[in-house]
Amino acid sequence: MDIKYFLIIAKNTAQMLLVDKTLKINNIKTDLVPAPPESGTVCAIAVKVSEADLGRAKQLLSKEGIEPGGIFEDRKLKLQGLLDSKLQKTVTEEFISILKKIEDGEDLIKSDIAYLLSTEKDKEIEAIFLAADRIRHEIVGDVVEIRGAIEFSNYCIKNCNYCGINASNLGVHRYRMSEQEIIEVVDSLQIMGIKTVILQSGEDPFWTIEKLIALIKAVKDRTGMRITLSVGERSKEEYEKLRNAGANNFLLKIESTNRELFNEIHPDDDYEHRLQCSNWLKELGYINGSGNIIGLPGQTIEDIAEDILYFKNMGINMIGIGPFIPAKGTKYENHPHGDIKLTLRTVAVTRIVCKKVYIPSTTALASLDKDAQVMALQSGANTIMLINTPEKYRTSYKIYDNKFMVDMDAALYAVEKADRKLPTYLRQGAVDSTLDK
Ligand code: SAH
């Protein structure tokens, strides 16, 4: 029998964290997942517990005087009408059986996922995108979350073979933003109404834990914004300090779950350690971001299917899927870019398999084709990350060549063209003034 789960919706972020902590210290297994649209809160995170633990969880919360905003059953999503008689005639038996599993909310196995990633039949591909879009609609709704990213340093000690800002690329002009410069951008994001700032950098030892903590505290004190960190591998103690200082989310992509491939593209990193880091982030209660790169040298469809199963089994909350794009001055500078269609397909299948997750329509996709960002929103993706790095630094954060500048205009274009909704938290003025330009 399947285990039933329940979602505890908190009234605000502080309460959500308190609920999670209270349950965890009492040995109740929790997961942090995006709240369902029917809970009425946009961009909120719910605490997921099993039916067996629900009674005890309620008791513990009431003992602590915590009254949650609501409790919903985490229903298995059943979809009807994915497979009509017309479609049945044009697709394979295998596809029909996979689509039935999707309609019934059953788990897909690796060979199903590999089939969906590799089919060449137009009707099947269309049906996959449609299924992903419906699941996205049912589970996270029609609002596209918009987040602002500040790439605050491009110094890096690592030598990831694909990455344009790796330590040995001498063709890169290096910069570090000061705390003051970062705060100025954060203030401008707050004026736009944006609720989450992503602070990303290379692995830069100048940004010690103490400096990062001071930055996090300054951002929180001024704006109360949610903070996503993307600063690479650190020790567990350091992740814990950053979390305690107020960081909410962390992006550390696994890039590929094929161990040999991972070790090949990351000469300074070790797969097991990366996995360890991601587990620490989860244990520490971060909203945990991962993701992969599509089109790495030697990567197979099976590898990508494994990546998707990994995201699901690890309970990853945010999954960034981007095509590989060559960067000048790196080992792979002449390797062709990843396939847009396969990237979109990976987005769609990830939504079908992982369901309640945030999936960005990535900058890398937009860099290959502006309309690919629209298509990703129509095939499973539900967030957009704006690039808010000041102009004088932006072009130096060249993780790959011809990186597209996703600004508010580009985001509005994609949301409108994909026929999706803007978040209500965006200040009307910010949206209008961008449209007027
Ligand atoms: N130093 C941080 C941030 C890295 S940049 C970290 O290691 O986590 C963020 C993401 O950009 C990476 O996780 C990687 O998936 C992506 N990226 C880097 N170079 C790329 C390339 N050439 N093509 C596609 N994606 C790339």
Side-chain angles (χ1 to χ4, degrees):
M1 255 249 315
D2 285 351
I3 305 172
K4 260 197 210 167
Y5 288 94
F6 285 83
L7 300 176
I8 304 176
I9 314 287
K11 289 178 179 152
N12 51 46
T13 310
Q15 196 192 52
M16 183 269 291
L17 294 174
L18 190 62
V19 169
D20 189 51
K21 200 167 152 199
T22 307
L23 301 184
K24 273 208 177 92
I25 52 174
N26 285 288
N27 293 320
I28 292 185
K29 192 182 169 312
T30 60
D31 265 321
L32 299 178
V33 298
E38 72 260 30
S39 69
T41 37
V42 182
C43 192
I45 296 294
V47 182
K48 179 170 155 180
V49 297
S50 73
E51 185 178 29
D53 287 332
L54 184 66
R56 205 158 69 84
K58 281 186 186 162
Q59 274 172 8
L60 285 165
L61 295 181
S62 94
K63 206 169 104 197
E64 296 293 322
I66 307 168
E67 196 194 319
I71 298 180
F72 294 82
E73 187 185 334
D74 191 22
R75 269 184 234 106
K76 203 155 118 180
L77 181 71
K78 301 214 176 191
L79 293 171
Q80 245 127 60
L82 290 183
L83 194 67
D84 58 29
S85 51
K86 215 167 110 207
L87 186 64
Q88 284 214 19
K89 287 194 198 107
T90 56
V91 300
T92 64
E93 285 292 318
E94 185 169 2
F95 188 75
I96 292 175
S97 81
I98 300 173
L99 216 53
K100 278 198 175 129
K101 281 191 189 175
I102 299 174
E103 282 190 333
D104 293 341
E106 274 173 34
D107 289 341
L108 301 189
I109 58 172
K110 188 177 164 189
S111 57
D112 299 333
I113 296 173
Y115 183 101
L116 297 181
L117 290 174
S118 54
T119 171
E120 303 274 337
K121 285 178 160 273
D122 287 347
K123 289 282 173 219
E124 296 187 353
I125 298 171
E126 228 174 83
I128 295 167
F129 286 163
L130 199 68
D133 198 44
R134 282 206 34 210
I135 294 177
R136 188 269 313 146
H137 168 79
E138 297 287 336
I139 291 196
V140 289
D142 293 334
V143 172
V144 179
E145 301 293 346
I146 306 220
R147 288 149 188 200
I150 307 172
E151 299 145 331
F152 65 94
S153 162
N154 72 349
Y155 280 86
C156 193
I157 52 165
K158 295 275 174 85
N159 270 300
C160 308
N161 286 330
Y162 49 84
C163 185
I165 59 166
N166 73 29
S168 54
N169 195 353
L170 301 177
V172 180
H173 167 75
R174 303 283 167 174
Y175 71 89
R176 282 183 187 112
M177 289 172 66
S178 67
E179 182 180 308
Q180 187 50 36
E181 285 176 305
I182 299 170
I183 290 295
E184 277 167 27
V185 182
V186 169
D187 285 347
S188 74
L189 291 176
Q190 200 189 25
I191 290 170
M192 288 195 256
I194 288 189
K195 298 280 182 231
T196 305
V197 58
I198 301 164
L199 300 171
Q200 189 177 88
S201 69
E203 294 198 15
D204 179 3
F206 169 87
W207 277 94
T208 56
I209 282 303
E210 291 70 33
K211 289 197 181 93
L212 286 173
I213 288 175
L215 173 64
I216 292 168
K217 292 201 163 144
V219 173
K220 278 279 168 192
D221 287 350
R222 287 174 81 86
T223 67
M225 275 166 104
R226 290 183 67 81
I227 298 173
T228 301
L229 291 179
S230 177
V231 296
E233 295 183 7
R234 298 271 177 163
S235 69
K236 184 176 183 190
E237 290 65 38
E238 291 182 328
Y239 284 146
E240 187 165 15
K241 285 184 185 160
L242 296 170
R243 175 92 178 98
N244 290 338
N248 308 90
N249 316 337
F250 207 104
L251 292 179
L252 181 75
K253 291 172 65 173
I254 196 77
E255 318 292 1
S256 171
T257 55
N258 175 326
R259 267 149 238 251
E260 286 91 78
L261 181 56
F262 181 96
N263 291 336
E264 158 75 30
I265 61 181
H266 299 111
D268 315 299
D269 292 332
D270 168 65
Y271 182 79
E272 297 303 329
H273 181 67
R274 182 70 137 221
L275 192 60
Q276 176 67 267
C277 287
S278 198
N279 269 308
W280 286 332
L281 293 167
K282 187 172 154 181
E283 273 171 44
L284 293 166
Y286 281 98
I287 300 299
N288 200 1
S290 187
N292 60 356
I293 303 180
I294 304 297
L296 290 166
Q299 186 187 41
T300 64
I301 291 290
E302 272 66 35
D303 291 339
I304 299 173
E306 285 289 358
D307 294 348
I308 296 175
L309 283 171
Y310 162 88
F311 301 142
K312 174 168 183 264
N313 296 333
M314 273 285 284
I316 297 293
N317 310 105
M318 309 183 281
I319 306 168
I321 300 161
F324 163 77
I325 304 177
K328 257 186 229 83
T330 63
K331 185 170 174 187
Y332 301 144
E333 66 178 355
N334 294 318
H335 189 77
H337 69 71
D339 185 56
I340 297 180
K341 287 194 183 123
L342 180 57
T343 309
L344 290 171
R345 202 94 71 86
T346 308
V347 166
V349 180
T350 300
R351 171 64 68 195
I352 292 170
V353 171
C354 301
K355 302 207 161 61
K356 199 169 286 180
V357 288
Y358 291 107
I359 303 181
S361 175
T362 51
T363 311
L365 259 177
S367 299
L368 290 182
D369 177 355
K370 193 168 151 196
D371 284 315
Q373 191 158 42
V374 178
M375 288 184 258
L377 291 180
Q378 292 170 325
S379 47
N382 72 322
T383 71
I384 288 184
M385 173 176 129
L386 306 180
I387 296 180
N388 301 97
T389 309
E391 213 167 327
K392 63 176 170 177
Y393 300 126
R394 203 179 287 154
T395 49
S396 301
Y397 198 81
K398 242 190 219 165
I399 48 179
Y400 43 77
D401 295 341
N402 306 315
K403 185 153 146 271
F404 180 65
M405 168 63 197
V406 181
D407 57 9
M408 189 60 102
D409 274 342
L412 294 177
Y413 169 84
V415 172
E416 198 164 305
K417 205 156 176 211
D419 201 16
R420 301 282 299 286
K421 293 185 188 135
L422 284 173
T424 48
Y425 53 73
L426 285 187
R427 295 265 162 73
Q428 203 49 44
V431 176
D432 289 345
S433 66
T434 317
L435 285 175
D436 290 346
K437 258 198 292 186

